[in-house]
């Protein structure tokens, strides 16, 4: 008898919770992206490479992958207008692979590539602007020439930086 009463109370409570959430205006979530339903459009400005050392492949790949991720994981429509609901722009400000972080037997064993990107996010509906920096480090063997290491690391750098930018914009990280 208690079991039936427990099931009835649980079912009623669950139904009430579902009704409350369905009646509220809730942000939709799609693949961990939380977006206010008022936001429909996005303008992606080109993320320029303004670092002292420039990897000519980084900026185009970064822009392409960010566009793909937003297109595939949100319902936002990409536009070229400055009155878009979201406007994203930025610049790669640091691209430095000269730091030694590991030493073995008086010789460098590990070097580090550091990449930083300044992002400007404008939310036109809320008239809000947010600037943030995404920075990551990527270690590689000191036995590799820098050109070889950056070629090996490029896909990982792009994937990690795009994920970080996406999460900071849409998941409030």
């Amino acid at each position: 008898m208690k079991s039936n009463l427990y099931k009835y109370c649980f079912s009623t409570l669950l139904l009430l919770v579902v009704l409350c959430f369905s009646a509220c205006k809730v942000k939709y979530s799609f693949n961990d992206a939380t977006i206010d339903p008022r936001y429909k459009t996005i303008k992606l400005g080109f993320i320029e490479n303004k670092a002292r050392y420039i990897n000519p492949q980084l900026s185009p790949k970064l822009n392409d992958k960010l566009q793909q991720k937003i297109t595939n994981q949100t319902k936002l429509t990409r536009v070229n207008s400055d009155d878009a609901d979201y406007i994203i722009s930025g610049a790669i400000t640091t691209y430095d692979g000269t730091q030694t972080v590991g030493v073995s037997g008086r010789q460098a064993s590990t070097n580090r590539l550091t990449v930083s990107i300044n992002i400007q996010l404008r939310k036109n509906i809320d008239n809000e602007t947010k600037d943030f920096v995404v920075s990551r480090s990527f270690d590689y063997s000191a036995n590799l020439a820098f050109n070889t290491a950056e070629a090996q690391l490029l896909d990982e750098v792009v994937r990690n930086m795009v994920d970080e930018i996406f999460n900071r914009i849409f998941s409030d990280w």
Side-chain angles (χ1 to χ4, degrees), residues 25-45:
K25 188 175 183 180
V26 178
K27 295 179 180 182
Y28 71 84
S29 182
F30 187 72
N31 288 345
D32 297 328
T34 303
I35 301 172
D36 187 314
R38 299 175 298 155
Y39 287 84
K40 307 282 187 218
T41 60
I42 187 166
K43 177 182 179 183
L44 293 172

Side-chain angles (χ1 to χ4, degrees), residues 114-117 133-137 161 164:
T114 301
V115 181
S116 297
I117 304 172
V133 176
V134 174
S135 187
R136 288 265 175 115
S137 296
M161 298 307 280
E164 181 104 9

Side-chain angles (χ1 to χ4, degrees), residues 57-74:
Q57 296 177 352
L58 180 59
S59 187
K61 281 190 169 222
L62 186 71
N63 283 285
D64 184 49
K65 293 296 183 186
L66 183 59
Q67 177 182 326
Q68 285 178 17
K69 188 166 183 88
I70 290 171
T71 300
N72 293 338
Q73 295 190 13
T74 73

Side-chain angles (χ1 to χ4, degrees), residues 14 53 74 103 133 142:
L14 184 63
Y53 175 86
T74 73
V103 178
V133 176

